[in-house]
Amino acid sequence: MRHAIDRLNVKGSVLVIKHGKPWLNYATGNKADTSYLINSVQKSMTATMVMREVEKHHMKLNDPLSEYFADVPGAKEVKVKNLLNMTSGLNLAKGKELGTDPFVSDKMNLASDIANTVFDEKQLGKWHYTAINYILLCGIISKLEHKSYEQLFRKTYIQPLKLKQTEFLWSSKAELKASHWLPGYEYRSELQRYRRFPHAKAVKDAHDELGAGSIVMSNHDLAKTMTAILHGKLLSEKSQAILFKGQAPTYYNGGFYNLPRFRAANGAGSGYYTFFRASDDGQNMLIIQSNHTKKGRFVHLRKKVNNIMSLILRFNKKGWKY
């Protein structure tokens, strides 16, 4: 199994959990407890925060977006559940980018994003992956709780789960260092080498993708958080069944691709890759993170990681099961 993982040639950290216990925990580069920007893997955490609001009866999945942000195009037609499963028909207008330049505040970013959002009624109910869905969800829960997304995230995850290697990318250098964070690197073909991704740009992108790419985590903290989300006390079993069930062909909902054999979440950006896989019962997990990326490599690695997870699920206490 380790040989199959090492053949990916990923410079980073690996954690395999088998039957609920660490089976492999090592580094192919950096250290086993290094923290990385998890990018879109964070969406599952944001989705869980939304579902907790549903459990508190503060909102409903069938609520129209207009109850929270009436200025969004198509807000009366789009429902909260459409944001969670990426079927809202919303997107940024052509040529527009997320957030303000420079970053001022979450509130200003949200206002700018809403002003630059367009609605395609023909796409309502059809899957289309875009961060604007989860940015709007962040805005909703912040409005309901009268707290910033960062405050809510710390209250929901970092504090109760006692996460030691988890921080927001815009935290101080001292806080990032304490979390064992390392900067990301991108391969530059014109230089024929890896080059450090500019931290200021990475922080700007993290603010722009609030709730969808702002958090750095070690493998241990990520596994602990995902266990709490999928099989812990953060959500009721009923909520888990509703949120983490997707429809063909993508099976996407609640930040996961809820595939027939396992759940998958992927993150890529600012010089980082994160691949998370978990069996339905949560007893088997595969996490691979790297801070060295190369254009065109993400899709290739994603497929290989899926194959490795399938191998893990075929391996039981007695050996290989065919």
Side-chain angles (χ1 to χ4, degrees), residues 17 230-231 261-263 276-286 309 313:
I17 294 175
L230 293 171
H231 299 281
R261 294 197 66 198
F262 54 83
R263 290 188 172 88
F276 173 85
R277 304 291 183 269
S279 58
D280 287 343
D281 62 4
Q283 290 296 296
N284 304 286
M285 289 186 182
L286 169 64
M309 184 62 188
L313 294 178

Side-chain angles (χ1 to χ4, degrees), residues 50 128 153 160 170-171 174 176-177 231 241 244 301:
V50 170
H128 176 69
F153 189 95
W170 53 74
S171 299
L176 289 172
K177 184 178 179 180
H231 299 281
F244 305 127
L301 286 174

Side-chain angles (χ1 to χ4, degrees), residues 66-80:
S66 57
E67 289 196 15
Y68 308 99
F69 298 112
D71 293 340
V72 177
K76 291 183 179 179
E77 290 79 21
V78 176
K79 297 180 179 180
V80 170

Side-chain angles (χ1 to χ4, degrees), residues 125-140:
K126 298 179 181 179
W127 189 79
H128 176 69
Y129 194 93
T130 174
I132 190 64
N133 291 296
Y134 276 70
I135 291 169
L136 288 169
L137 289 171
C138 288
I140 291 173

